[in-house]
Amino acid sequence: METSLFDRTTPPQILTLVLVAALASMTMNIFLPSLPAMAEYFGTSHSVMQYAISGYLFMCGFVQLVIGPLADRFGRRPVLLSTIALFALASLGATVAPNVETFMVCRVLQTSMVSGLVLSRTIARDMVGPTRAASLIGYITMCMALVPTAAPVIGGVMQELFGWTANFLLQAGIALATLLLVYFDLGETGRNRPSSFSDQVRQFPELFRSRRFWGYSLTCAFSTGTFFAYLGGGPFIAAQVYELEPGQIGLYFTFAPIGYLVGNGIAGKFSVRFGRQRMVVLGTTVIASGMAAALLFQALGATHPLSFFAFTVFIGLGNGLALPSANAGMLMVRPELAGAASGLGGSLTTLGGGVLAIATGNLLALGNNTTTMLLCILAPGVAAVASAIWTVSIERRMRNT
């Protein structure tokens, strides 16, 4: 499809898709350095405040079940504009929340921005078709990773200078700017719409009966789950085990996004040449190997924060390599249901991530140490390798029949 800048009748520029996806990613980690201060502000425990991450992930999972079908039925453009506007209002509401319960309600409403993750992939698939989808998704998420890389650093600095509410004011401001950009630049790309929302939902069993869909979805879920497990316990490992300040926490949290940026760059360049299957297996293997190496360093008695945080670069690198191809494979199962596939697959990913974040938080409450944290990351990493190999075997059998 041809694109034209600030033309509402043509598909968007890649930059617009990048910003939409980046905003959705930023809201997950910009306030991580502020979590201990937020727990103190609301007079609650760290385990309760951790639900700002795990609860958010759970709700994102449910929201994605609706976002994909809505976008297939009513179009990408109206759904995206509506959800960005709701996100901006929720971000403003969080800054004036009088108690933790009200804050959590605003945090739940922020999950509307998950549309940016679902629809940026879907629109990319609309624009270039299945052959180049993995490559374009890789470039989009590579650029998108720049924001999550800087977000914890910015969040830590803003926490020290202005307090935790500044992070949510920033999110609201960026959301309003993104809303204007989407309004003027993003033309509708969803052309083949189902006759009704209910008709589309009735086609969901076609996705659920597909072993390819389950294979790619589970690979995404377990691979991304390593990052969610890290988010679930990383801030408190940093504050309680290593006694880091908010600004320092932000800096140490850049390792994983930097790895993601590099992995996406490699995926964007080589996915077409080497194929989806190889990239998915390679990426998941990188995650599991990196976490195993980190556990070895802990067993040897390493105590510096880098002995933990430096190895999180492998979480980002592996996900950057695997996810573009896994997501593209998931969308290709039923191209006419690309939005639904993106939403359902994303829902499985974030629901699984929520479970892992909660489990990690609870396990750390029993044994708050880096070894426990690394085991919580390694377990889904190994599962990701297994599901990737299973998916590749399904693809090979289909080609040979």
Side-chain angles (χ1 to χ4, degrees), residues 2-5 7-12 185-189 191:
E2 293 185 3
T3 64
S4 180
L5 183 62
D7 186 344
R8 285 178 284 167
T9 65
T10 65
D185 186 55
L186 195 149
E188 184 57 57
T189 61
R191 305 301 182 188

Side-chain angles (χ1 to χ4, degrees), residues 218-295:
L218 289 174
T219 300
C220 285
F222 287 127
S223 182
T224 310
T226 61
F227 182 66
F228 290 151
Y230 171 50
L231 291 183
F236 300 113
I237 287 289
Q240 297 176 14
V241 175
Y242 295 114
E243 300 181 347
L244 300 175
E245 297 296 324
Q248 294 175 304
I249 295 175
L251 287 172
Y252 280 112
F253 263 82
T254 61
F255 280 101
I258 287 173
Y260 192 61
L261 176 65
V262 174
N264 277 159
I266 297 172
K269 187 174 181 61
F270 295 107
S271 289
V272 174
R273 183 184 305 176
F274 293 109
R276 293 191 310 273
Q277 292 81 14
R278 289 179 181 176
M279 297 302 292
V280 169
V281 173
L282 173 62
T284 54
T285 302
V286 165
I287 298 172
S289 300
M291 293 305 97
L295 277 169

Side-chain angles (χ1 to χ4, degrees), residues 43-233:
T44 189
S45 66
H46 289 166
S47 60
V48 170
M49 208 66 235
Q50 185 263 351
Y51 280 97
I53 299 172
S54 57
Y56 177 86
L57 295 176
F58 268 114
M59 286 306 302
C60 280
F62 290 112
V63 170
Q64 286 179 91
L65 290 174
V66 179
I67 290 295
L70 285 176
D72 280 340
R73 176 64 184 90
F74 298 106
R76 319 320 190 193
R77 176 181 167 84
V79 171
L80 200 52
L81 288 171
S82 301
T83 52
I84 295 174
L86 178 58
F87 172 81
L89 292 174
S91 300
L92 289 173
T95 66
V96 295
N99 50 53
V100 70
E101 292 81 9
T102 304
F103 171 81
M104 290 298 180
V105 170
C106 293
R107 185 69 175 146
V108 166
L109 293 176
Q110 276 194 311
T111 60
S112 62
M113 196 58 233
V114 77
S115 64
L117 296 177
V118 175
L119 297 184
S120 61
R121 297 192 301 258
T122 306
I123 293 170
R125 168 63 177 75
D126 293 340
M127 292 170 61
V128 301
T131 304
R132 294 179 53 214
S135 180
L136 182 57
I137 290 172
Y139 282 122
I140 290 172
T141 52
M142 177 188 70
C143 298
M144 180 193 75
L146 289 172
V147 171
T149 299
V153 179
I154 295 172
V157 172
M158 295 188 75
Q159 163 65 37
E160 293 184 345
L161 294 178
F162 307 111
W164 66 268
T165 57
N167 289 321
F168 289 89
L169 286 172
L170 178 63
Q171 292 177 61
I174 296 175
L176 292 174
T178 304
L179 183 65
L180 290 174
L181 178 61
V182 169
Y183 179 81
F184 286 109
D185 186 55
L186 195 149
E188 184 57 57
T189 61
R191 305 301 182 188
N192 301 318
R193 301 182 187 177
S195 58
S196 70
F197 184 86
S198 59
D199 285 344
Q200 187 191 21
V201 172
R202 282 194 290 270
Q203 296 183 66
F204 280 4
E206 291 296 322
L207 292 174
F208 284 118
R209 283 195 292 268
S210 170
R211 290 184 300 166
R212 291 171 63 211
F213 175 78
W214 278 108
Y216 284 118
S217 295
L218 289 174
T219 300
C220 285
F222 287 127
S223 182
T224 310
T226 61
F227 182 66
F228 290 151
Y230 171 50
L231 291 183

